[in-house]
Amino acid sequence: MLTSAKIRKERVLSFRAATLKSVTVSLTAKRLTQTKMSVKKKCVMNHIYHWENQRNISEFILLGLSYDQTIQIFCFVFFLFCYLVLLVGNLLILFSIQCSPLLNQPMYYFLSHLSLIDICYTSSVTPKLIGDLLVERKTISYGDCMLQVLIMHFFGGTEIFILTAMAFDRYVAICKPLHYVIIMNRTRCNLLLLAAWAGGAVHSFPQFLMATDLPFCGPNEIDHYFCDIFPLLKIACTDTYITGVLVIAFSGMVALVTFAVLFVSYGVILFTLKNRSAEGRHKALSTCGSHITVVILFFVPAIFIYLRPSTTFPEDKVFALFYTIIAPMFNPLIYTLRNAEMKNTLKKFSIKLCFQRKHTFKEQFVQQRDI
């Protein structure tokens, strides 16, 4: 009897212990579930908060080149003149080459594309700069700012690779003249141009994605006259060290390596000219001299700005003027004043244009007289 009571008591105690353990396990699981839910909720909220901060700024304020009104008026007149010269010069080169037999020559084929890219590249920055010089508050929307980063780096990268293609063309023409026609056929020229445009896309899209991924939750003043990646990194409310290193890799190193390749190729070309006649040497030096001038004007300021840690200096705005306005403006002058073929083509095109206008005016005059 006592044994059965003892057994019954042990069973009751065992049942209570099992029940208590089950309840404890259940409560622990519930708490863990709540903790996991809380962590997930916190992560989602942080992501939403990060995205809201990223979109918190709808526009940026550009500080421009100077606060002085007199300097702004001078800059307005000067840059308007530069932009008009750039447009007229590059359009003249573009149409002159397209309407002449020079289009069949690889150098001028590349030059026509370079003129088109110069127009597009500068037009992504200069009209906005000129317009902002007339207003007190210089603003740009978030979308336009990101688009400007994309377009500027796309056409800038494409120009870098087209200058490389032009250097390769001059290398083949001077160092391998007997094989020039075979090597630089139209198919290979088109492939080089396609590679240049593709290189511009590969160069620009990663930087565009990095710019759009930056969170902006505080100041929205950009100490520049256009949107670029380094000024945006300066006002981003996050650690931008890794992004700055990637920018150096995509922009600074690309500019430096390309400049080194161009420098070596032109060095080889100049060394090869020692064995040429005086006339051939003069002609080749004239062509290569214009190319080297363009390369220096474009690459040296770009390397100074992009091949360093993600810091900005007041001098950056002045150096940026060289590769956004000055170099594209001088391209038509450099390539025409030092090139006899180009000068003759421009003269013929101008005469043809004047003759067509005169003929059109005469027809209109005859039609009005008959009426």
Side-chain angles (χ1 to χ4, degrees), residues 307-326:
L307 195 66
R308 65 166 194 245
S310 56
T311 54
T312 56
F313 300 107
E315 295 82 9
D316 289 353
K317 292 184 275 189
V318 178
F319 278 98
L321 290 172
F322 280 92
Y323 60 81
T324 55
I325 301 175
I326 305 299

Side-chain angles (χ1 to χ4, degrees), residues 42-115:
K42 190 175 181 180
C43 289
V44 172
M45 291 301 294
N46 284 338
H47 182 73
I48 293 171
Y49 178 71
H50 170 77
W51 186 255
E52 286 178 349
N53 278 341
Q54 197 171 12
R55 296 295 183 185
N56 190 34
I57 292 177
S58 60
E59 66 177 14
F60 296 100
I61 298 173
L62 299 171
L63 299 183
L65 290 169
S66 175
Y67 294 106
D68 191 286
Q69 191 67 28
T70 307
I71 295 177
Q72 288 192 31
I73 293 172
F74 170 77
C75 287
F76 170 78
V77 175
F78 177 71
F79 292 130
L80 180 61
F81 171 76
C82 290
Y83 186 58
L84 292 176
V85 169
L86 183 148
L87 286 178
V88 172
N90 281 294
L91 285 173
L92 198 57
I93 286 178
L94 183 62
F95 289 121
S96 297
I97 294 174
Q98 291 292 327
C99 300
S100 72
L102 289 179
L103 186 63
N104 298 321
Q105 299 184 32
M107 187 182 78
Y108 298 103
Y109 184 55
F110 291 137
L111 181 58
S112 65
H113 282 265
L114 181 66
S115 296

Side-chain angles (χ1 to χ4, degrees), residues 122-167:
T122 308
S123 297
S124 67
V125 176
T126 309
K128 173 67 176 169
L129 168 63
I130 294 171
D132 284 344
L133 290 169
L134 297 176
V135 297
E136 185 177 352
R137 192 169 184 268
K138 306 165 180 61
T139 62
I140 184 170
S141 67
Y142 178 88
D144 289 344
C145 182
M146 297 300 115
L147 185 63
Q148 192 176 58
V149 171
L150 175 64
I151 293 174
M152 194 195 73
H153 282 278
F154 174 69
F155 286 112
T158 306
E159 178 159 352
I160 284 175
F161 296 118
I162 284 189
L163 288 172
T164 307
M166 293 176 75

Side-chain angles (χ1 to χ4, degrees), residues 29 34 37 41 48 51 53 132 170-171 192 196-197 324 327-329 355 361 366:
Q34 288 178 347
M37 291 286 289
K41 186 178 179 182
I48 293 171
W51 186 255
N53 278 341
D132 284 344
R170 290 300 86 201
Y171 169 79
L192 288 171
W197 287 97
T324 55
M329 181 191 71
F355 178 77
F361 178 76
V366 172

